[in-house]
Amino acid sequence: MRKPLIGLTTYLADARWGEWELPAVLLPAAYTSCLRAAGGRAVLLPPDAPEAAADVVENLDAIILTSGEDLDPALYGAKPHTCTGPPVPERDRWEQAVLAAGLARDMPVLGVCRGMQLMNVHAGGTLVQHLPEKVGHHGHNPYGGHFAPHPVTTVPGTRLGALLPGTSRVATHHHQAVDSLGAGLMVSARATDGTIEAIESTRHRFAVGVQWHPEVAFEPAVVHALVAAARPGGAAVSAAGQEPRTALRRSGVVMPTPGP
């Protein structure tokens, strides 16, 4: 059986390798290695003209909206916070078009960190631009350049709740979060401080966003579920919890050792 073809959005940034320092299309290798381990084929989707999105998406079986820079606050009618990073309009426009094309085809979609935030903004929701000001701590992003573990609890009766029932430790690195929820979305996980950590669509077969980074966890169930949904005849995880859990090790987050 042909392996599902999964499109992953990418960074567009200045980078250095060897003797070169040039603008580059980038994606951490953890995304592609994780996807291969789950049985999918990775295809990178660098920023392009938004009008090209429909043709590109037509050749895919699923989409992963990856992590990265802060979204432009203008997309949800807000002024930039002093801690909000500079916008990358080429990426914002492209990924919105990719998401719209995927949802129009009811294609399985997984949003990771920024990708989840994009899903919410695309549906008309808003973001908290600097989470420590709201929750009073830096537990969601305690170390620059490193992932850190914290617990999240899923909502019973949701797709994600069927995959990860109860409380699990996840890999996190974010200073923004979902504020008001977009139309057609529901909350499927929260952190202990109440921060929304996962959302999913009530209108589509499989459209799930997680604020954490499943690509750095051991046998990430949500990535396996995306690949399963992308296979011919594949079904999304049901709210009744029919998805097998044999590949899941809920406490197996693998992260670099935090710096001092």
Side-chain angles (χ1 to χ4, degrees), residues 11-188:
Y11 291 72
L12 180 63
D14 293 334
R16 170 183 269 173
W17 66 99
E19 61 186 54
W20 301 102
E21 187 170 355
L22 295 168
V25 171
L26 300 172
L27 190 66
Y31 279 103
T32 55
S33 59
C34 171
L35 188 56
R36 286 195 301 269
R41 298 280 190 207
V43 177
L44 301 191
L45 306 179
D48 201 338
E51 55 269 24
D55 286 343
V56 170
V57 168
E58 185 177 5
N59 295 291
L60 302 173
D61 298 306
I63 296 165
I64 297 179
L65 302 168
T66 63
S67 56
E69 307 91 348
D70 294 337
L71 293 172
D72 186 349
L75 296 175
Y76 47 97
K79 294 182 179 179
H81 187 282
T82 55
C83 293
T84 296
V88 185
E90 301 91 342
R91 186 175 181 187
D92 290 345
R93 289 192 296 266
W94 169 244
E95 292 187 4
Q96 281 196 310
V98 167
L99 175 59
L103 293 178
R105 299 176 67 87
D106 200 19
M107 181 176 289
V109 175
L110 173 62
V112 174
C113 198
R114 165 194 159 96
M116 167 178 145
Q117 295 168 6
L118 179 72
M119 292 173 69
N120 188 60
V121 169
H122 180 75
T126 63
L127 303 179
V128 178
Q129 290 193 52
H130 192 55
L131 193 54
E133 290 185 350
K134 180 176 181 179
V135 299
H137 63 81
H138 292 269
H140 297 271
N141 187 5
Y143 306 105
H146 293 280
F147 297 106
H150 75 66
V152 299
T153 301
T154 55
V155 177
T158 62
R159 291 181 176 89
L160 196 62
L163 278 172
L164 296 170
T167 300
S168 303
R169 288 172 70 79
V170 298
T172 184
H173 184 87
H174 65 102
H175 82 109
Q176 298 193 339
V178 167
D179 190 7
S180 64
L181 202 60
L185 298 174
M186 65 186 298
V187 175
S188 51

